[in-house]
Amino acid sequence: MQYLSPVIAAALTVVAGIILFSALGTDPGLALYTFFIEPLTDLFGVGEWAIKATPLLLCAIGLSIGFRGNVWNIGAEGQLTIGAICGGGVALAFYGDEGPWLLPLMVIAGGLGGMAWGAIPAFLKNRFNANEILTSLMLTYVSIQFLGYLVHGPWMDPDGYNFPETRLFSDFGLMPVLVENTRFHGGVVLALIAVVVVWIFMSRTFTGFQVGVVGQAPAAAAYAGYSKKRVVMLSFLISGALAGIAGISEVAGTIGQLQPIVSPGYGFAAIIVAFLGRLHPFGVLLASLLMSLMYLGGESLQMDLNLPLAVTGVFQGMLLFFVLGSDVLIRYRIRIGRATKEA
Amino acid sequence: MDGFDTLLAILIATIRAGTPLVFAAIGELVTEKSGVLNLGIEGMMLIGAVTGFIFTVLTGNPYIGILAAMVAGVAISLIFGVLTLSLMTNQVATGLALTIFGIGLSAFVGLAYIGTPIDGLDPIAIPVLSEIPVLGPLLFNHDIMIYGSILLFVVVSWFLYRTRAGLILRAVGESHDAAHAIGYSVLKIRYLAVMFGGAMSGIAGAYLSLVYTPQWAENMTAGRGWIALALVVFATWRPGRVLAGAYLFGFITISGLHVQALGYAISSHLMAMLPYLATVLVLVIISRDATKIRLNAPASLGRPFHPTA
Amino acid sequence: MTIVSGFKRIALAAMAATALTASGAYAAEEPLKIGFVYVSPVGDAGWTYQHDLGRKQLEAELGDKITTTFVESVPEGADAERVIRDFAADGHELIFTTSFGYMNPTVKVARMFPKVAFDHATGYKRGKNVSTYLARFYEGRYLTGVLAGLTTKSNKIGYIAAFPIPEVVRGINAFTRGLRSVNPDADVNVVWVSSWYDPGKEREAAETLIAQGADIVTQHTDSTAPVQAAEDRGVHAIGYHSDMSKYGPNAHLTATTHHWGDFYISEANAVMDGTWESTDTWGGIKEGMIKLAPFGPGVSDETKKVVAEREAAIASGELHPFAGPVKDQAGTVRIAEGEVMSDGDMLGFDWYVEGVVGELPN
């Protein structure tokens, strides 16, 4: 049954796409091909697919742990930003004095930074009972402004004619490119490792089991003596660290410096990705690839068919609704049937 | 210009700056009071802004534009409603998807209307009262939507705390299982609350495109939907505090600009952090006391309702 | 299962695509493909709109000899590099990247595609196949300053600015120099809105400045909201990037407008002739890259005459907005009499000239 839902979503998307693109006077077959397939027709494109999925995957895989435990971290964007600041800060601090140790240090600093930023809403939740959805969201805006302050001020490139960006990181501060003629970099590997580690954690460890119980059966968890607070803190620390690594993987992997904006919203998109992937590590992997393809497809629609960005925005939005909607339609089919009868 | 006139100008501008936030935040407040968290305010506002603008251009009548914005807000909020309430998708994820969709759709339908000039809403001076010095221009010489926002605040406050229907709405947000057990239709009430939130976000958007900067441009809300969301929390889910908070936010923005225009440098990045830090602080203060939080925050906020569970 | 079939489809599609390109190569001489990368939606006015006007002029002028493609709202970061590279890989032989944040990605992609010509707007890094181009916006700013100085009655000008980067500071300073050259009593008050584009905030800033007594507002932001605000409040406005008179028929005095079309045409011709080489173009009034929009009803004939004289003087090289003595706010002479500020110094402007009120934030 659960294999049917992607099919339904795909069918709905195709139908909606045919209607939308026909209405615009574009050949719908060509448009759908351009959106979903054209971006992946060369090696570089496949590399782009992977590196665009990487920050989504790293953030979403962490978030999915918390979401399973009913812990709602929606501030991955902020944790990503702080990760980029901390990791990038290391690169800048050792400017002119680097060695091969620099990149690992940056990744660690990025992970710790994201973790620390994630710990704030967890602490406020545990200590003061403050709603973590709201605190983590608010802290995201704080972190983005903080990055803006740094690159417009103290961290500005001294040789950069006062433009708001930092120095370029040295080669020791950049993720190695693993496949020639692409931008497929080491961050992708980190993301894949994260998938496996989280999968093992959730399915093979006792702590991972506790997270699931706390989320699904809080009463049973309390009876068994599992600490909800521990789950809150733990899931925020893990998801914060992974988002922080996503941040440093972006700046060290593809950007090469700090800028006023380092992420076009990966942390938020990752929330959708986590649910599209049904909070399962491998599902999240597939969902991040779908989301990443959506970005690439939007660009190729503009480039090859001259469709304005607004059209691709509509198409992307519809696609998300279909995938979200059809997924749950399958999962809760029986329950909904019963609910309607009662209503 | 003397200091007094400046202060008056600041206060008038404050009311105008706060008004779109009042609409969006009170709409979201009602939605959240029913236990539903809709993060799609920004998307709904944009849909309202573009619809209101298009209908004003087509009919030449901004009042029809406002009405159309409201209807459009309801329509798009229903997408969210069907997904989260009937199909039980996650509210956070669906709200974010709604924002993505709203940004795209508004840009799409608005393409042909970028750069069309319109006459915005004119202020309506209330006879006699608007003649009063100081208070007249401050309170009684505004466009109809500002008066409407005050009326909205009064009606929503009365509804939530003085009517049976309001009590039911809050009960549903408090504990949907209990409300369901008593026999209230949790889904129906939540649908209505979501639609109300959509209508108000639609009007908030129309305020921007028809009054505040009478024009349509892609993404013209520029993050105000997220500020409205923060405001609901900052106001601890109280309509009166939403009103005060919206004006406070407007006042800080406007007086910040005035201070700059006088020649003082402020780090805009650090300034821009303040409302969010303040919201976190307020949340901590109200949440630490279990009874206080129960009085304010809807306990079922963001939780899906399974009627058979 | 879905992954496997997915890859199969991709492989098939890849083969189909290769077949297509192979057959295409037999066609007659292909038109030159030119790509444009935009930082925001094209819209109806503003920075990107002017670049798109240039693109349209290019298409109108060269017709079948070229085709153009653009991608809008490309974030300045990881995505820019992909879009630029896709253009190059897709057979575009001339690529214009029109925002500062595309500098490093442009340089990076250019190394991978040595046969493609890249033109980057507003940056300072060049390479064998990377040119830079920029307009001397400050020349237009100076002229609008002169116009403002002759028109203002309150001697107070409001300036709405986005971020305190050198390009913006240079504009403020040039405007102030023009203003003070005809009206030594007039001041410029600056409000920073921390956004290139936020109609609501720009409107608030304009209203603030007007409430504090400014009778002319000008802007270094993208939206037309300040012009609308001036129209509603019965004061004057000077637009930027585009002619914004539509939004304030009475308020709009003029605007400093950018014109990239001629440059785009000459670059395209150079690529087709095989004469393209890496250059640093910084064109102004003389080159026609900067023009003033038609004057509105608020500009007196006498003022028009003075502005026209100054415009001619700038075009001939007789007048430079930053010819010494240039004093900073403290009254210290930064550029001595008889000297002219160098392009390099102007590029990194981080101080205000005399006549700007208040301190420069960071």
Side-chain angles (χ1 to χ4, degrees):
Chain A
M1 209 47 166
Q2 58 175 325
Y3 295 106
L4 202 60
S5 82
V7 178
I8 291 177
L12 285 171
T13 306
V14 167
V15 170
I18 288 173
I19 294 169
L20 176 72
F21 293 118
S22 307
L24 291 167
T26 308
D27 173 6
L30 184 64
L32 289 171
Y33 170 85
T34 308
F35 191 88
F36 288 108
I37 297 168
E38 207 280 332
L40 308 177
T41 46
D42 62 10
L43 183 67
F44 180 80
V46 176
E48 289 299 303
W49 189 31
I51 63 166
K52 189 88 187 163
T54 294
L56 294 167
L57 177 55
L58 277 165
C59 292
I61 200 89
L63 294 180
S64 65
I65 298 175
F67 292 171
R68 278 193 176 197
N70 250 329
V71 180
W72 303 102
N73 175 8
I74 66 168
E77 182 80 359
Q79 292 137 23
L80 179 153
T81 304
I82 295 292
I85 290 174
C86 292
V90 168
L92 296 174
F94 291 101
Y95 187 80
D97 191 21
E98 298 93 349
W101 43 267
L102 180 65
L103 184 66
L105 196 65
M106 284 164 67
V107 173
I108 292 168
L112 289 177
M115 193 186 257
W117 200 247
I120 301 172
F123 170 76
L124 296 179
K125 168 86 176 175
N126 285 344
R127 178 77 177 72
F128 301 110
N129 194 31
N131 184 327
E132 75 277 19
I133 297 183
L134 301 164
T135 50
S136 60
L137 178 65
M138 298 303 135
L139 286 169
T140 295
Y141 293 102
V142 174
S143 68
I144 291 171
Q145 292 299 334
F146 185 55
L147 174 64
Y149 164 75
L150 289 174
V151 295
H152 276 275
W155 286 11
M156 198 156 60
D157 180 359
D159 307 318
Y161 297 96
N162 293 316
F163 280 102
E165 54 179 16
T166 66
R167 292 176 193 274
L168 288 172
F169 303 157
S170 75
D171 286 348
F172 287 116
L174 297 178
M175 289 275 177
V177 170
L178 303 178
V179 180
E180 224 175 303
N181 293 325
T182 70
R183 295 199 289 162
F184 191 98
H185 59 72
V188 184
V189 178
L190 292 179
L192 293 174
I193 293 172
V195 172
V196 176
V197 170
V198 169
W199 176 67
I200 293 173
F201 171 75
M202 288 307 287
S203 61
R204 297 276 181 279
T205 68
F206 182 57
T207 315
F209 171 72
Q210 283 180 320
V211 171
V213 176
V214 165
Q216 276 161 16
Y223 185 71
Y226 303 162
S227 161
K228 166 87 183 173
K229 286 188 178 184
R230 197 164 150 256
V231 168
V232 169
M233 185 52 87
L234 191 74
S235 53
F236 261 98
L237 290 179
I238 297 175
S239 55
L242 289 174
I245 291 173
I248 193 61
S249 151
E250 270 304 281
V251 292
T254 53
I255 305 177
Q257 67 186 144
L258 291 179
Q259 298 176 331
I261 291 165
V262 294
S263 156
Y266 292 127
F268 291 118
I271 296 168
I272 304 175
V273 168
F275 282 97
L276 293 183
R278 294 184 194 167
L279 310 183
H280 187 282
F282 298 119
V284 169
L285 174 64
L286 292 179
S288 65
L289 288 171
L290 174 69
M291 197 71 153
S292 153
L293 184 56
M294 256 179 46
Y295 288 108
L296 303 189
E299 283 166 12
S300 61
L301 277 184
Q302 286 195 67
M303 224 180 264
D304 295 349
L305 301 183
N306 292 330
L307 288 174
L309 183 68
V311 174
T312 72
V314 174
F315 188 59
Q316 288 167 347
M318 289 195 309
L319 177 59
L320 290 178
F321 287 145
F322 293 141
V323 181
L324 279 169
S326 65
D327 191 28
V328 179
L329 189 67
I330 303 300
R331 254 168 102 194
Y332 289 93
R333 204 175 68 96
I334 304 159
R335 280 193 179 174
I336 285 171
R338 228 184 283 165
T340 357
K341 248 179 271 162
E342 277 179 19
Chain B
M1 180 168 278
D2 60 34
F4 188 76
D5 284 344
T6 308
L7 183 65
L8 190 62
I10 293 177
L11 291 178
I12 292 172
T14 293
I15 293 176
R16 290 166 51 85
T19 297
L21 299 177
V22 171
F23 277 112
I26 288 197
E28 177 71 9
L29 179 142
V30 171
T31 307
E32 289 189 16
K33 275 284 183 191
S34 82
V36 179
L37 179 66
N38 185 352
L39 295 185
I41 307 175
E42 183 88 1
M44 299 192 294
M45 279 176 76
L46 281 166
I47 293 289
V50 76
T51 313
F53 190 83
I54 291 176
F55 275 82
T56 304
V57 171
L58 293 182
T59 64
N61 184 341
Y63 296 99
I64 295 181
I66 297 170
L67 201 69
M70 218 165 103
V71 173
V74 171
I76 190 167
S77 72
L78 271 176
I79 300 179
F80 175 84
V82 169
L83 283 167
T84 56
L85 300 174
S86 296
L87 303 182
M88 274 174 277
T89 60
N90 176 268
Q91 292 175 9
V92 170
T94 312
L96 291 168
L98 186 69
T99 291
I100 294 176
F101 181 67
I103 291 172
L105 185 64
S106 61
F108 178 53
V109 299
L111 272 180
Y113 294 87
I114 298 175
T116 313
I118 56 161
D119 294 324
L121 276 180
D122 287 325
I124 300 171
I126 294 180
V128 188
L129 289 178
S130 60
E131 310 285 318
I132 308 171
V134 186
L135 285 182
L138 181 60
L139 299 177
F140 302 112
N141 188 19
H142 289 298
D143 56 82
I144 192 166
M145 291 174 88
I146 291 186
Y147 301 130
S149 67
I150 305 294
L151 185 69
L152 173 73
F153 151 70
V154 173
V155 170
V156 166
S157 310
W158 169 78
F159 169 80
L160 281 178
Y161 298 103
R162 294 277 181 275
T163 66
R164 202 177 134 69
L167 183 72
I168 296 171
L169 178 91
R170 285 186 291 138
V172 165
E174 210 47 53
S175 166
H176 44 226
D177 294 329
H180 177 68
I182 305 170
Y184 296 130
S185 172
V186 173
L187 279 188
K188 193 178 112 196
I189 289 160
R190 287 194 170 164
Y191 260 109
L192 290 173
V194 165
M195 285 159 66
F196 181 77
M200 292 307 113
S201 286
I203 292 185
Y207 188 78
L208 292 173
S209 67
L210 298 182
V211 183
Y212 207 57
T213 50
Q215 57 170 291
W216 163 251
E218 280 180 39
N219 250 330
M220 62 182 298
T221 48
R224 282 175 182 73
W226 298 104
I227 292 171
L229 184 80
L231 201 57
V232 177
V233 185
F234 180 76
T236 62
W237 292 271
R238 296 291 188 99
R241 293 180 194 165
V242 165
L243 197 70
Y247 294 147
L248 178 68
F249 184 83
F251 180 77
I252 292 173
T253 314
I254 300 289
S255 56
L257 293 173
H258 272 270
V259 167
Q260 275 200 54
L262 290 172
Y264 299 98
I266 13 182
S267 170
S268 52
H269 297 288
L270 299 181
M271 271 287 286
M273 281 183 201
L274 280 182
Y276 301 108
L277 283 174
T279 304
V280 172
L281 192 70
V282 167
L283 199 62
V284 166
I285 292 168
I286 60 153
S287 305
R288 57 191 307 183
D289 183 338
T291 46
K292 252 193 206 157
I293 186 84
R294 201 170 305 141
L295 282 173
N296 295 306
S300 298
L301 187 61
R303 305 238 167 88
F305 171 62
H306 312 277
T308 50
Chain C
M1 136 210 128
T2 43
I3 311 179
V4 176
S5 64
F7 274 124
K8 229 185 255 167
R9 261 184 311 176
I10 292 158
L12 284 174
M15 281 189 279
T18 329
L20 274 177
T21 17
S23 61
Y26 291 104
E29 200 174 322
E30 298 273 333
L32 175 71
K33 288 171 84 173
I34 304 172
F36 289 83
V37 186
Y38 296 152
V39 72
S40 58
V42 172
D44 176 57
W47 173 256
T48 295
Y49 180 73
Q50 294 303 121
H51 284 285
D52 202 54
L53 283 186
R55 182 186 67 83
K56 287 183 177 147
Q57 192 188 332
L58 177 66
E59 281 199 328
E61 177 91 11
L62 297 181
D64 300 341
K65 288 194 272 181
I66 55 143
T67 61
T68 67
T69 321
F70 68 88
V71 180
E72 56 186 344
S73 292
V74 176
E76 299 181 314
D79 298 293
E81 188 178 333
R82 173 178 54 256
V83 173
I84 300 166
R85 192 197 176 283
D86 281 349
F87 267 139
D90 198 31
H92 291 76
E93 288 175 73
L94 174 61
I95 297 166
F96 295 97
T97 55
T98 65
S99 184
F100 174 75
Y102 302 151
M103 178 171 72
N104 293 318
T106 303
V107 171
K108 239 194 252 178
V109 176
R111 275 193 223 118
M112 291 185 266
F113 293 89
K115 291 196 176 134
V116 177
F118 295 84
D119 270 288
H120 175 243
T122 75
Y124 55 85
K125 290 186 187 166
R126 278 169 291 280
K128 253 181 93 175
N129 58 334
V130 184
S131 288
T132 52
Y133 65 106
L134 184 65
R136 295 186 186 268
F137 311 114
Y138 65 89
E139 294 181 349
R141 289 285 189 194
Y142 180 87
L143 294 175
T144 57
V146 170
L147 191 152
L150 295 172
T151 309
T152 180
K153 298 204 168 58
S154 67
N155 283 345
K156 201 163 173 179
I157 314 293
Y159 203 119
I160 299 148
F163 293 101
I165 63 170
E167 186 195 316
V168 178
V169 175
R170 193 164 61 237
I172 295 170
N173 286 338
F175 181 87
T176 310
R177 295 274 297 168
L179 179 79
R180 282 278 176 117
S181 74
V182 294
N183 186 346
D185 298 326
D187 288 331
V188 174
N189 291 60
V190 185
V191 167
W192 300 94
V193 291
S194 294
S195 170
W196 292 110
Y197 172 79
D198 180 343
K201 194 112 185 256
E202 290 169 48
R203 168 104 194 185
E204 288 160 4
E207 301 228 351
T208 297
L209 288 159
I210 294 167
Q212 289 201 7
D215 65 350
I216 299 177
V217 290
T218 186
Q219 61 184 98
H220 197 141
T221 48
D222 245 17
S223 95
T224 51
V227 177
Q228 275 183 320
E231 182 80 12
D232 290 351
R233 294 281 170 266
V235 300
H236 287 126
I238 296 170
Y240 191 57
H241 299 306
S242 308
D243 182 348
M244 297 178 169
S245 54
K246 188 162 70 174
Y247 295 87
N250 299 306
H252 198 260
L253 295 172
T254 183
T256 302
T257 58
H258 315 162
H259 301 269
W260 309 105
D262 291 346
F263 173 73
Y264 289 160
I265 291 165
S266 79
E267 290 294 280
N269 279 326
V271 170
M272 288 190 286
D273 301 345
T275 55
W276 188 94
E277 54 184 18
S278 170
T279 50
D280 176 22
T281 304
W282 203 2
I285 300 270
K286 192 173 116 197
E287 294 80 4
M289 238 182 213
I290 292 298
K291 290 178 187 154
L292 292 188
F295 295 115
V299 187
S300 73
D301 289 340
E302 214 167 306
T303 305
K304 285 179 194 166
K305 221 181 91 199
V306 178
V307 172
E309 281 165 19
R310 298 280 176 105
E311 191 171 356
I314 289 180
S316 70
E318 210 177 300
L319 171 65
H320 190 289
F322 297 106
V326 179
K327 286 186 195 165
D328 64 16
Q329 287 176 299
T332 314
V333 176
R334 292 287 193 109
I335 306 291
E337 183 140 19
E339 282 177 35
V340 168
M341 199 170 185
S342 72
D343 282 2
D345 282 350
M346 279 195 290
L347 213 54
F349 242 129
D350 62 350
W351 47 276
Y352 280 149
V353 299
E354 197 173 38
V356 186
V357 177
E359 44 181 329
L360 184 63
N362 63 20

